[in-house]
Amino acid sequence: MDIETRIRRRRDDGSRLIRDYEALSPVAHVDDPSGRGPAFERLLDHLDPVFDGRLPPNGYVHGDFGAGKSAVVTALFAHLTRLSADAGAVIHTSTRVAAPSSPAFAYVDLREAASEFAVHRAVLDAVTEDPIPEHGVSTADLRARLHDRFGGSDPGAVVAVDHVDDPDALGADALVDLFAGLPSGVSWLAVGRGPPASTPLTDYTARSIRIDPYRRRMLLDVLMARSSAGLARQGLDHDLARRLADWADGNAHDALAALFVAADRAEREGRTRLTEADVDVAIEGMPRPSVSLARVLTLPANKQRVLRALVDLDSADRDSVTATADAIAARPGVDLSRGTVERFLYELAETGVLDRVKAPRSGKGRPPSRVELRFPSAVFRRLYDLRG
DNA sequence: GATCCACGGGAATACACGGATG
DNA sequence: CATCCGTGTATTCCCGTGGATC
């Protein structure tokens, strides 16, 4: 916990249950994910060559939703980046005075880098200090810069590429092409949910590393750690945590999301401790399978705006996609055309952020469908509003 | 002037149904 | 009875335009 957080918590009055939303957020990854030691070890084994200044081969990290893949990989790459910076090993300007002596590290989230251009840009941005333009320069141009940097005697870079099988991300074929176009001095570590056999990427990897789902005991630790960081003292009873952990069945995302919903409910009702009912209602209302809130919160701004309006709609306005689009487009703050909102809704359903269910037909023509959320609305609402 | 990308708009296609047709 | 057709919606698909930035 950093100093600012400590001060903020000290200042909070004792009557509030939720002290720190960020600490409860299923989207936030902590610096040192508890209980993932073995996964760290296996990743370090894979990356071992970098400690001799050499490049490891390409790899693929896989595991179920909520197993902690992103948590482990982001934490590990953050540490490695820091270490190599501290060691002065990396000097990354285009006019560098000394050549670095060991590989650089970059973490790229395909949810945020949604095009070939954006991926190239993200890699460059991570390994250089120079600002990289966002416009006015072609993708080929950026690729050329990467070749300039990593084509020759430079020790190269290891790039973690997260969420390779995200429905909104570049497709597998595009990724294969993209990786093939990278200079030989770049080694990649793809991260996805699917087993190795499910992606053509593994045709180009030397190793696959599986991250197992959280064991019950570990998930319990995660819940207790997060609630002690984010809730009032004694806010979460051990038995209730166990109940959440049992229900979540190894999925840390869902466990934390449910905890968040339960805490939100308790707080709204003025309590300073979670009750069994809070947890029951939260679990009851969790869509399963759910879509990652991190995914929802990295959607393009206007799509999030549409979703933000959607979660506040009365059910009366949600009888059909058309009606929903009308209601959303009419809201202040959403200045998209009705047609665009409607298209967004279809697209969001297509990629699994929303669900389309048959609605009772109302008169003539093709029967309409209705959209339902695949994520807990309370969590999205809070986190979205928190970000202003 | 170049580049990327989000929007808007609308054409094309799919679907459901009832009635007409063979 | 099986099929086709017309009508009214729903859904998908595609592409030109323009803003923002370099």
Side-chain angles (χ1 to χ4, degrees):
Chain A
M1 199 186 315
D2 62 32
I3 293 174
E4 208 172 296
T5 308
R6 286 175 194 278
I7 294 173
R8 184 152 26 94
R9 291 192 55 183
R10 185 62 65 97
R11 217 170 35 198
D12 284 338
D13 73 275
S15 66
R16 289 181 67 81
L17 168 63
I18 299 181
R19 301 289 182 82
D20 184 358
Y21 283 107
E22 213 36 50
L24 293 178
S25 166
V27 173
H29 295 309
V30 295
D31 202 41
D32 180 18
S34 45
R36 300 282 79 182
F40 271 108
E41 289 305 319
R42 264 174 293 149
L43 283 172
L44 282 171
D45 284 346
H46 173 70
L47 296 173
D48 202 49
V50 302
F51 301 109
D52 294 329
R54 289 176 298 117
L55 219 49
N58 299 328
Y60 179 60
V61 176
H62 62 105
D64 292 344
F65 177 31
K69 300 181 296 300
S70 298
V72 171
V73 173
T74 52
L76 183 55
F77 272 62
H79 282 295
L80 290 168
T81 303
R82 211 174 303 147
L83 277 180
S84 55
D86 287 351
V90 186
I91 296 158
H92 332 264
T93 64
S94 52
T95 56
R96 59 189 187 278
V97 284
S101 59
S102 74
F105 297 93
Y107 171 85
V108 177
D109 186 350
L110 291 182
R111 287 172 176 159
E112 297 178 56
S115 65
E116 284 188 44
F117 175 82
V119 174
H120 284 93
R121 192 180 170 283
V123 174
L124 274 169
D125 197 44
V127 299
T128 66
E129 284 171 1
D130 302 338
I132 312 297
E134 296 177 39
H135 295 273
V137 50
S138 69
T139 306
D141 211 338
L142 295 186
R143 188 160 38 232
R145 291 199 200 188
L146 283 171
H147 278 272
D148 285 348
R149 171 83 150 77
F150 296 116
S153 61
D154 186 280
V158 186
V159 182
V161 183
D162 203 352
H163 303 118
V164 292
D165 43 18
D166 189 286
D168 281 317
L170 290 170
D173 296 340
L175 279 179
V176 167
D177 289 350
L178 192 157
F179 287 157
L182 292 177
S184 57
V186 173
S187 168
W188 45 266
L189 184 65
V191 184
R193 289 185 194 170
S198 70
T199 170
L201 290 176
T202 48
D203 293 344
Y204 307 90
T205 60
R207 191 172 301 130
S208 291
I209 299 155
R210 176 173 157 78
I211 309 248
D212 293 316
Y214 279 91
R215 306 270 266 297
R216 182 168 175 281
R217 174 74 218 174
M218 292 304 172
L219 198 46
L220 196 54
D221 287 350
V222 170
L223 284 167
M224 292 313 290
R226 293 284 202 116
S227 59
S228 86
L231 296 180
R233 287 173 65 80
Q234 314 297 326
L236 178 67
D237 178 273
H238 208 268
D239 285 338
L240 292 181
R242 184 170 298 128
R243 190 191 187 91
L244 282 167
D246 284 343
W247 166 80
D249 193 26
N251 183 334
H253 171 276
D254 282 3
L256 290 172
L259 170 61
F260 195 114
V261 176
D264 192 54
R265 177 180 195 268
E267 169 139 309
R268 266 203 320 275
E269 301 189 359
R271 283 191 290 279
T272 55
R273 311 185 57 150
L274 298 195
T275 64
E276 206 169 322
D278 293 326
V279 171
D280 285 344
V281 171
I283 286 175
E284 183 62 32
M286 281 288 297
R288 286 206 115 181
S290 72
V291 63
S292 167
L293 279 154
R295 212 183 124 199
V296 180
L297 290 161
T298 49
L299 252 19
N302 274 331
K303 280 193 173 162
Q304 289 194 54
R305 216 161 276 148
V306 164
L307 289 173
R308 182 64 186 84
L310 174 61
V311 299
D312 277 352
L313 246 39
D314 292 335
S315 64
D317 288 328
R318 299 205 267 122
D319 283 344
S320 69
V321 174
T322 314
T324 306
D326 279 340
I328 291 173
R331 293 218 149 209
V334 179
D335 66 345
L336 295 168
S337 77
R338 209 214 57 122
T340 297
V341 172
E342 190 173 33
R343 181 164 54 78
F344 278 6
L345 292 175
Y346 282 118
E347 286 176 7
L348 289 164
E350 184 66 30
T351 56
V353 174
L354 299 174
D355 231 2
R356 263 178 42 218
V357 300
K358 279 200 267 290
R361 60 190 314 262
S362 56
K364 306 169 175 304
R366 183 174 179 170
S369 54
R370 189 163 48 77
V371 291
E372 284 180 359
L373 308 177
R374 281 273 199 97
F375 53 90
S377 58
V379 189
F380 173 68
R381 186 186 285 122
R382 283 279 184 210
L383 294 178
Y384 179 92
D385 292 350
L386 228 48
R387 301 185 172 195

